[in-house]
Amino acid sequence: MNSKIKNEAVDSLFDGILSLKSREECYSFFEDLCTVNELLSLSQRYEVAHMLKSGHTYMEIAEKTGASTATISRVNRSLNYGNDGYEMVFDRLKK
């Protein structure tokens, strides 16, 4: 866990996210919390991570998602050297 982001405010935010019970509640909360561009950016990174895990090339990912190669590279670095957060979510969603 990155100690740079761990603080009371982030803990409170995560507690709020963990209280959400449906996709509709997620839409309501995240539309209030984020700008449209921020939410689309988050979802783009998630899609990039999923495509990287599925073996797609940078070119295929860029064409499908519109992500820059810099974004794809950043997500790839997180997949390879991060905290395994993407892995945890992907594994849970497979079940």
Side-chain angles (χ1 to χ4, degrees):
M1 180 181 341
N2 188 340
S3 62
K4 292 179 185 176
I5 65 166
K6 184 156 179 50
N7 64 43
E8 195 173 313
V10 175
D11 286 350
S12 180
L13 171 63
F14 289 164
D15 289 343
I17 292 168
L18 289 168
S19 77
L20 300 171
K21 293 180 172 53
S22 69
R23 185 175 289 152
E24 286 307 311
E25 286 185 0
C26 287
Y27 271 102
S28 294
F29 180 72
F30 280 95
E31 284 181 40
D32 285 350
L33 179 68
C34 301
T35 66
V36 170
N37 285 338
E38 288 168 336
L39 193 50
L40 293 175
S41 183
L42 290 171
S43 65
Q44 181 188 62
R45 286 186 214 138
Y46 183 81
E47 185 176 15
V48 166
H50 192 265
M51 291 183 74
L52 284 166
K53 289 298 296 174
S54 299
H56 292 273
T57 66
Y58 276 35
M59 189 60 69
E60 291 170 330
I61 295 167
E63 287 175 7
K64 181 168 191 292
T65 67
S68 68
T69 55
T71 295
I72 298 167
S73 180
R74 245 186 332 257
V75 171
N76 194 44
R77 189 169 41 255
S78 291
L79 285 169
N80 291 315
Y81 305 108
N83 294 311
D84 295 326
Y86 284 118
E87 281 296 332
M88 177 177 52
V89 170
F90 294 151
D91 287 346
R92 289 179 182 173
L93 290 175
K94 275 189 221 173
K95 298 174 183 176

